[in-house]
Amino acid sequence: MVHQLEKPEKVGDNGYIKGPEEETLLPDTKESLSGFFNDTNADTESSKDISKIPLEDIELQLPPEDTTCGIGCIRGKFLQKLATKNSYVVLYGILGFVFASTYSYMNGIITTLEKRFKIPSTNTGIIMVGSDITTLVAGLLLNYYGGRGHRPRWIGFGIFTVVVYCLMNALCHMIYGPGEDALDLTKEFGGHYNASVTALFIEAENRKSLCQREEVTEDCSTEVGNFAPQLILFGANVIEGIGGSLYYTLGVSYMDDNIPRSKSPIFVSVSFFLRMLGPVIGYTLASVCLTIFISPTLTPTVTLKDPRWIGAWWLGWLFIAASLAIFGFLITLFPKTLPKAAVRQAVAEKNRKAAGKDVKDKKEEMPTSLKDMMITMKRLMKNKALTCNNFASVFFVMGYMAYWVFMPKYIEIIFRQSASFSSFITGVVTLLCAGIGILGSGVYISKVKPSARSLAAWNVFIGVISALGVFVYGLIGCPVNDSQAAMITSGQMETTLCNQDCHCDFVKYSPVCSPDGRTFISPCHAGCSDYNELSNGTKVYSNCSCVPRLPSNLTDTQDTLKDSDDAWVLTEGICPVDCSNKFIIFMVVFSIVKLAGSSGRTTNFLISLRCVDDADKTIAMAIGIVLLSIFAFLPSPILFGHIFDTACLVWGKTCSGSGNCWLYDADKLRHLFNFTAFGFICIGCMFDVGLWYYVKGLKIFEEEEEEEVELKIPPHRA
């Protein structure tokens, strides 16, 4: 039904009708609606009988307290000015921005945390999956009740569980302190700064990668720190899982219900984009905190370069917790329904009644209960459009997640780039292309208002583009130079006659390059017994038994060594390969795939919400998250991690057996990794075709939104 208002005119002394260009609010409800409609113009034949609708006949479906900002006695005039969609979207985006930083902050401090509490890596993995356990066990139940209740307050509750998570992490430091090892390195507890001692520790650390003529065994002590901090950290992650699911499902569904459908895509895109910036802050905060000594009030006797240094890993949690507490409290102040949304619902209900579409067309909502929850889930599982969309998302995420998790490592191995550069270029391209794709698609959809089938067809198109892009990934790679290929095929990457007395079994992977283009796993494997650090901080290695002594081929670099001899100097890192052109091509294709894929996030969101009843939005989104957790988020890293392992040529050694992989078969990895992802994405495209078929006739945008009506009324009388 389409109703267009005439020019804005005053309605008594309490308010006036105005156009969509002004931002207004509705603090009072029924009393403020007096004189809302004096006249309406009918645009369709079915609306001729309701061309005039008096405001006094329109009543809001909600009590006043559900449409006013505040909680309890905190309901002032100023708060009512914030009860707008713009205020909510900005606050929700900032909240997601801070919330997302918790994950990257934990990743940034995890090694320091393990060092402080002597946590084995296996236990760290168990601790980190605590939030996934909560999502799987309680996610549906929490989202069902939250979706039927006061959503902003449920979101606030979820955010405060994340605050508890942050404080519980910091609590480990408050209870157990910096630890005896750290205290012994402070002046206040008897430690003395001794440059020579520090230098000895650094020297010993550096010499671990050199050839050791006397056998040196790995430190195989199984010392594990106090188990109590590990339990606290695991419990914190279990609690955090509550906030993760509630923030996304309830927040997005509330946004969609309280914003005109024509504007929903752009607002959701903005909130998604703000959330993407969170990891940048998390990693930055981690790097800053780790430069501060674990106990800031004490004076350390060691420097950052000393391997014994432990940074203030706990400090960032307090900052994040304080930020989340502030923004989490603010979001609880939003009303159950925004005032303008309440007006639109009341007008739409009145229009339906006047047009003869009475409550018989509206499904009667059952009371909130477990029985109703099961009925709702059964109904949603029979929804063919929703099922196709969910399984398309599962298979796309199965394929895409390999690149989300392993892309820096993939670039490092396939294109011979450094770890730092690989992480940097991946982060920059991802942020730039994903930002453009998400924001651009949101703006376009809001302006053009395509049909459901057009959106689904776009999903099929970008799925095909992504699949082709991933297939091209499998064809682009750097060749192995002849010297390196000969070493791999002859098995000279590990123990040979020239290094058999060096005891390199437990040496960590630290590749070095010889002037003749051969890459060795470590200086030890090259038989190097000495090193020097240059003024720019890089190291060069000498006295290498596996490198022919050719005095005539000495490089300029050797002139910088303190004790020159006739050894051939080896440099840090893998031997460079001229692969710049292929790397540029790869990054161009990667950017196109990333840009195309990110443009589909908004379309998926719209279809998943429009193909279900309004009351089922939250539980439908929760079902999608649970399916992704079970079939994508958990198995995808395991599967593609196994693919990396199958392509390994040389394994490191630890006390318990094999350690991490030192060298990969790049061609085998490139083919297995990309073509497996290609298969998952192709299956996702098939489900998207099914989605395109089943969304025929689905309305994404309502016709009556062509001319939006908004109401302005004086502030609430507190």
Side-chain angles (χ1 to χ4, degrees), residues 318-330:
L318 301 180
F319 176 79
I320 296 174
S323 302
L324 285 174
I326 294 171
F327 294 117
F329 172 74
L330 290 177

Side-chain angles (χ1 to χ4, degrees), residues 113-135:
L113 200 62
E114 291 176 345
K115 184 192 297 186
R116 163 61 187 93
F117 294 107
K118 298 180 175 63
I119 304 175
S121 296
T122 302
N123 291 10
T124 301
I126 296 173
I127 289 171
M128 299 293 280
V129 300
S131 59
D132 293 322
I133 294 174
T134 306
T135 300

Side-chain angles (χ1 to χ4, degrees), residues 166-220:
C166 296
L167 294 178
M168 286 181 67
N169 287 334
L171 184 65
C172 292
H173 175 77
M174 305 303 173
I175 295 177
Y176 299 101
E180 292 184 5
D181 294 341
L183 292 176
D184 290 340
L185 301 175
T186 62
K187 291 182 178 180
E188 289 79 358
F189 285 81
H192 299 283
Y193 177 71
N194 189 324
S196 60
V197 173
T198 299
L200 286 175
F201 271 98
I202 297 175
E203 176 73 8
E205 191 70 21
N206 288 332
R207 285 198 166 272
K208 285 183 179 180
S209 63
L210 297 179
C211 178
Q212 307 292 331
R213 297 302 176 185
E214 295 181 2
E215 184 173 0
V216 178
T217 59
E218 175 75 348
D219 181 10
C220 292

Side-chain angles (χ1 to χ4, degrees), residues 235-298:
N237 276 271
V238 170
I239 294 174
E240 187 269 343
I242 298 174
S245 60
L246 291 179
Y247 165 81
Y248 176 71
T249 55
L250 299 184
V252 171
S253 64
Y254 180 84
M255 188 186 306
D256 187 62
D257 285 343
N258 288 275
I259 293 176
R261 290 189 172 186
S262 60
K263 296 182 180 180
S264 181
I266 182 60
F267 280 103
V268 172
S269 297
V270 170
S271 68
F272 283 168
F273 177 73
L274 288 174
R275 191 179 183 187
M276 284 176 53
L277 301 177
V280 178
I281 295 299
Y283 283 117
T284 302
L285 182 62
S287 64
V288 171
C289 291
L290 293 181
T291 60
I292 304 171
F293 190 63
I294 187 171
S295 184
T297 59
L298 301 178

Side-chain angles (χ1 to χ4, degrees), residues 403 410 464-476 589 593 670-671 673-679 681-682:
Y403 302 99
Y410 179 86
V464 172
I465 294 295
S466 298
L468 291 176
V470 169
F471 186 82
V472 172
Y473 291 170
L475 305 179
I476 305 175
V589 177
V593 171
R670 176 160 50 87
H671 294 148
F673 188 81
N674 292 301
F675 294 151
T676 302
F678 171 78
I681 294 174
C682 286

Side-chain angles (χ1 to χ4, degrees), residues 301-587:
T301 60
V302 293
T303 62
L304 283 171
K305 292 184 178 181
D306 195 301
R308 296 170 294 173
W309 175 275
I310 300 180
W313 61 269
W314 54 274
L315 196 58
W317 290 123
L318 301 180
F319 176 79
I320 296 174
S323 302
L324 285 174
I326 294 171
F327 294 117
F329 172 74
L330 290 177
I331 208 163
T332 62
L333 300 179
F334 277 89
K336 187 175 183 179
T337 302
L338 290 179
K340 293 178 193 177
V343 172
R344 285 193 297 271
Q345 293 170 9
V347 172
E349 184 67 21
K350 184 64 181 178
N351 288 346
R352 280 195 296 268
K353 290 181 180 179
K357 297 180 181 179
D358 213 334
V359 291
K360 62 182 180 181
D361 292 343
K362 190 176 180 180
K363 293 182 181 179
E364 184 176 354
E365 188 172 314
M366 292 180 61
T368 302
S369 64
L370 289 176
K371 180 181 178 180
D372 178 56
M373 175 182 166
M374 300 306 296
I375 293 174
T376 300
M377 290 179 61
K378 185 177 180 180
R379 180 172 65 249
L380 291 175
M381 289 179 181
K382 293 181 179 179
N383 187 318
K384 295 180 180 179
L386 180 65
T387 300
C388 285
N389 197 37
N390 282 338
F391 279 100
S393 298
V394 166
F395 283 101
F396 275 118
V397 171
M398 272 293 293
Y400 286 146
M401 194 167 186
Y403 302 99
W404 299 342
V405 176
F406 296 109
M407 180 55 80
K409 186 175 183 178
Y410 179 86
I411 292 176
E412 181 182 354
I413 295 169
I414 303 299
F415 297 100
R416 315 291 200 276
Q417 301 296 320
S418 67
S420 58
F421 178 76
S422 299
S423 298
F424 172 77
I425 194 67
T426 301
V428 170
V429 172
T430 298
L431 185 62
L432 183 62
C433 294
I436 294 174
I438 291 174
L439 293 177
S441 63
V443 172
Y444 179 82
I445 293 172
S446 293
K447 295 293 184 182
V448 178
K449 299 181 181 65
S451 65
R453 274 210 154 176
S454 297
L455 293 177
W458 173 252
N459 275 357
V460 175
F461 174 73
I462 63 176
V464 172
I465 294 295
S466 298
L468 291 176
V470 169
F471 186 82
V472 172
Y473 291 170
L475 305 179
I476 305 175
C478 292
V480 178
N481 63 49
D482 295 338
S483 298
Q484 198 67 31
M487 291 180 68
I488 292 174
T489 56
S490 63
Q492 294 180 17
M493 297 303 298
E494 297 183 83
T495 302
T496 61
L497 291 175
C498 61
N499 64 21
Q500 63 183 356
D501 296 328
C502 288
H503 309 292
C504 302
D505 288 345
F506 295 103
V507 173
K508 294 181 180 179
Y509 178 65
S510 49
V512 291
C513 177
S514 69
D516 61 350
R518 290 184 295 163
T519 297
F520 291 87
I521 293 173
S522 72
C524 181
H525 289 82
C528 301
S529 59
D530 198 8
Y531 81 98
N532 284 91
E533 187 169 340
L534 305 182
S535 57
N536 61 3
T538 61
K539 298 184 183 71
V540 290
Y541 299 89
S542 57
N543 294 329
C544 304
S545 59
C546 293
V547 180
R549 294 175 177 270
L550 299 175
S552 61
N553 291 324
L554 293 179
T555 62
D556 295 337
T557 308
Q558 187 166 351
D559 295 336
T560 62
L561 298 177
K562 295 179 180 178
D563 299 315
S564 298
D565 57 20
D566 60 347
W568 214 348
V569 173
L570 275 69
T571 56
E572 288 183 299
I574 297 174
C575 291
V577 177
D578 186 12
C579 195
S580 57
N581 290 336
K582 290 189 176 182
F583 179 62
I584 292 173
I585 294 172
F586 174 82
M587 292 310 301

Side-chain angles (χ1 to χ4, degrees), residues 23-27 67-70 75-88 333-335 338-340 712-716:
E23 290 299 331
T24 58
L25 55 115
L26 181 61
T67 55
T68 55
C69 243
R75 297 178 187 271
K77 294 181 180 180
F78 175 75
L79 283 180
Q80 308 317 312
K81 296 179 181 180
L82 301 178
T84 65
K85 59 181 181 291
N86 288 347
S87 299
Y88 175 79
L333 300 179
F334 277 89
L338 290 179
K340 293 178 193 177
K712 179 178 180 180
I713 293 180
H716 174 66

